[in-house]
Amino acid sequence: MRQIVALGSLKGAAGASTLALALAAAWPLGDGVRPVVVEADASGGDLAVRFGLSDMVGLLALAAGARQGGPERDLDGCTQEVAGGLRVVVAPTGADQALASVAEVAACPSVLRGDAGSEGTVLLDLGHLGSAASRELARVADRLVLVARGSADALAHVAARPEWLEGARPELAVVGPCRYSESDIAQALGMERDQIYLLPWNVRAADAFAGAARVAEGRWRRSSLARAVFVLARRLAGADSGVSRGGLCGELAALGSRALPGPLVGRSGARRSLEKGGTR
């Protein structure tokens, strides 16, 4: 069965969609199966417009299969490929359809996991964790990564995390500039240091995943964002068992750019749908 890694924010647009795509590009392919990014944002999807895809093929169709008790392998039939070879299941753009689709999938999460013969990983982009359906999907995930900016006010929302997260052990990806160390954040939020990841936000590289720019493969591989996401992807995939974070960074440096995947090459001139500040 597939592993589910969910990403979502407790406040605003923190960059969960961009991070999900970047993780998919950096994901270790130990089983030879590329991960699938499932856009399950109850407020409406952006990826269909961002990359010129059909939103009738994605989450809407997956939800219909869940409602009708369709085959659990239908996830593959709802997947489209974008530039760079990334596989995505896009949410409908309209909020009403998106919320209904997320609720259907939350009621039957086996459509994400598949059957005993299903392999690979689902990177579940939940956007803002404001709806009951989004929270239900977050609870059934194998790993939950909260995404937040590095300012004090953004981190305060994580510190005041809601009751539905009680008992959970979410991880935290802090994107962009941050004046605090991982240890400082862990202490302030009542988390362990190994639950915190600081991700530098290389604007040019991130814009490629936002469909707003092109980035050369070499530039992507050399970017601080690519290297940080590569480390995070390996940790989430369990591919660094027994390797310390410092040791993993050293391993990455020794391998050089050959260890990093090629970038997503965004469509030139593609507009960002419903984005605010380019951080979706």
Side-chain angles (χ1 to χ4, degrees):
M1 297 177 70
R2 301 182 189 95
Q3 176 192 22
I4 300 176
V5 177
L7 300 96
S9 64
L10 295 175
K11 175 72 174 180
S17 296
T18 299
L19 179 56
L21 291 169
L23 283 170
W27 203 259
L29 302 181
D31 54 9
V33 180
R34 281 185 174 272
V36 179
V37 175
V38 176
E39 185 182 34
D41 190 335
S43 65
D46 290 344
L47 297 184
V49 174
R50 185 181 295 183
F51 298 114
L53 305 174
S54 170
D55 65 359
M56 300 302 292
V57 178
L59 193 71
L60 200 62
L62 187 67
R67 183 168 57 250
Q68 297 165 8
E72 293 170 344
R73 61 179 178 274
D74 274 353
L75 179 68
D76 291 330
C78 300
T79 299
Q80 300 175 76
E81 190 170 298
V82 299
L86 301 187
R87 303 166 65 214
V88 299
V89 174
V90 300
T93 304
D96 289 345
Q97 283 187 315
L99 177 58
S101 298
V102 172
E104 292 284 359
V105 173
C108 186
S110 62
V111 297
L112 297 173
R113 291 201 181 276
D115 54 26
S118 300
E119 297 180 322
T121 299
V122 170
L123 295 172
L124 190 60
D125 170 22
L126 296 174
H128 177 232
L129 296 168
S131 72
S134 299
R135 294 175 177 183
E136 186 59 35
L137 281 175
R139 278 191 287 261
V140 302
D142 300 295
R143 308 282 288 263
L144 172 60
V145 181
L146 300 177
V147 184
R149 292 289 169 175
S151 62
D153 54 336
L155 294 173
H157 290 286
V158 182
R161 45 194 179 274
E163 290 183 3
W164 66 271
L165 276 172
E166 290 298 325
R169 193 178 187 272
E171 293 156 279
L172 174 64
V174 181
V175 300
C178 181
R179 58 183 292 189
Y180 312 106
S181 69
E182 292 167 334
S183 297
D184 290 338
I185 294 172
Q187 182 176 5
L189 303 187
M191 302 173 73
E192 299 296 327
R193 185 180 179 278
D194 65 359
Q195 294 175 264
I196 312 296
Y197 307 96
L198 298 181
L199 302 178
W201 211 242
N202 180 282
V203 175
R204 182 74 176 181
D207 277 353
F209 291 99
R214 292 180 180 273
V215 61
E217 182 172 336
R219 175 174 287 189
W220 157 247
R221 290 172 185 255
R222 292 190 300 270
S223 71
S224 56
L225 174 61
R227 290 178 175 273
V229 168
F230 175 84
V231 173
L232 175 55
R234 286 205 49 178
R235 294 186 71 86
L236 292 175
D240 66 326
S241 179
V243 180
S244 68
R245 181 172 302 195
L248 187 58
C249 291
E251 175 187 331
L252 176 59
L255 288 172
S257 62
R258 290 172 300 171
L260 296 172
L264 173 73
V265 180
R267 295 172 59 212
S268 181
R271 67 186 181 87
R272 306 178 195 182
S273 170
L274 303 178
E275 285 195 291
K276 294 183 180 179
T279 58
R280 252 298 277 134

